[in-house]
């Protein structure tokens, strides 16, 4: 039995734990493909081009916007980020791929949902603003100034929680992961995603 195709959007203020949780989700659900975004931000020390992001300069990014290559794109923390259409088309065409995970900000979440209304949107909350700041600083991948700006933007990002279907608190990582796992399993069982199974049975077929 094939799992239904699921578009899962994960958003949060920077440092709340999206990347960490996305990696765990992919280990648990290897058939969920991570949507590799394009960005004009410089790579962090541990990031790999083509795996974490497609790192491009501003001119290349603007050319892609001009060609309408993005399903969504936005300015986030003074850089540009975008999800390419080709990324979703490839996943849909790939045998054995049961959906995609999008790590995007609230602007991207809105744009994806406008075009793909059945996408599921999850917002990750930090347990406190103090802990968020600690995690941002602890990641030690950005300058003090960048950390300060990202922390200042967190309030505005959290204010957009009302758009999302689910809110998950990332206090203890295993606890947060269990909630996310539960969301994927429940969403896969939604009637509109599984109606074909009942219809197949009714026609005398097997599941
Ligand atoms: P984001 O992708 O949302 O910016 P990251 O996944 O990079 O956030 O996490 C930011 C930092 O916080 C990383 O150093 C990560 O290891 C750490 N972290 C993530 N989740 C937790 C948690 N539940 N408890 C403690 N530290 C965490
Ligand atoms: P980071 O620079 O920490 O990797 O990401 C910064 C922010 O940009 C995060 O909120 C992340 O979710 C968001 N982001 C990453 N890729 C995309 C994308 O393709 N589109 C949009 N709109 N936001 C993105």
């Amino acid at each position: 039995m094939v799992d239904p195709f699921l578009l899962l959007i994960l958003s949060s203020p920077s440092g709340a734990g999206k990347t960490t949780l996305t990696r765990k989700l992919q280990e648990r659900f290897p058939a969920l493909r991570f949507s590799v975004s394009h960005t004009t931000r410089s790579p962090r020390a541990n990031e790999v081009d083509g795996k974490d992001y497609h790192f491009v300069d501003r001119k290349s990014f603007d050319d892609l916007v001009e060609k309408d290559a993005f399903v969504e794109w936005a300015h986030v923390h003074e850089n540009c980020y975008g999800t390419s259409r080709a990324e979703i088309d490839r996943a849909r065409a790939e045998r054995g791929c049961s959906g995609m995970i999008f790590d995007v900000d609230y602007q991207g979440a809105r744009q994806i949902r406008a075009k793909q209304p059945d996408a599921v949107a999850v917002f990750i909350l930090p347990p406190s603003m103090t802990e968020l700041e600690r995690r941002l600083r602890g990641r030690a991948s950005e300058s003090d100034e960048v950390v300060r700006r990202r922390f200042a933007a967190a309030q505005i990002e959290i204010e957009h929680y009302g758009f999302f279907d689910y809110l998950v608190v990332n206090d203890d990582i295993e606890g947060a992961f269990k909630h996310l796992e539960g969301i994927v399993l429940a969403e896969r069982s939604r009637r509109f995603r599984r109606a074909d199974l009942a219809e197949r049975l009714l026609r005398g077929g097997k599941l």
Side-chain angles (χ1 to χ4, degrees), residues 12-21 44 103 131 134-136 138-140 150 170-174 176:
S12 78
S14 187
K18 275 180 316 286
T19 309
T20 313
L21 286 164
R44 295 179 185 137
D103 173 341
E131 173 63 9
R134 194 193 68 74
R135 286 182 194 170
L136 265 176
R139 191 163 61 187
R150 286 183 173 230
N170 179 18
D171 187 349
D172 144 64
I173 192 81
E174 292 306 326

Side-chain angles (χ1 to χ4, degrees), residues 140-174:
S141 52
E142 282 103 357
S143 65
D144 273 1
E145 174 57 17
V146 171
V147 166
R148 199 191 55 71
R149 269 193 264 128
R150 286 183 173 230
F151 184 66
Q155 183 81 20
I156 294 163
E157 294 178 50
I158 296 172
E159 281 169 8
H160 289 85
Y161 77 88
F163 168 80
F164 292 82
D165 303 307
Y166 297 95
L167 302 180
V168 171
V169 180
N170 179 18
D171 187 349
D172 144 64
I173 192 81
E174 292 306 326

Side-chain angles (χ1 to χ4, degrees), residues 12 14 18 37-38 41 44 47 53 72-74 76-77 81-83 103-105 107-108 139 150 157:
S12 78
S14 187
K18 275 180 316 286
S37 297
H38 285 68
R41 158 165 92 57
R44 295 179 185 137
E47 287 179 326
Y53 281 106
E72 65 76 31
W73 72 274
V76 191
H77 309 311
Y81 295 81
T83 305
D103 173 341
V104 296
D105 81 322
Q107 306 171 82
R139 191 163 61 187
R150 286 183 173 230
E157 294 178 50

Side-chain angles (χ1 to χ4, degrees), residues 35-54:
S35 166
V36 182
S37 297
H38 285 68
T39 183
T40 59
R41 158 165 92 57
S42 308
R44 295 179 185 137
N46 58 343
E47 287 179 326
V48 178
D49 188 28
K51 180 170 167 279
D52 298 291
Y53 281 106
H54 300 291

Side-chain angles (χ1 to χ4, degrees), residues 25 28-29 176-186:
L25 265 183
R28 168 67 179 83
F29 301 109
F177 173 67
K178 272 212 165 68
H179 280 82
L180 277 179
E181 182 185 38
I183 289 167
V184 171
L185 294 175

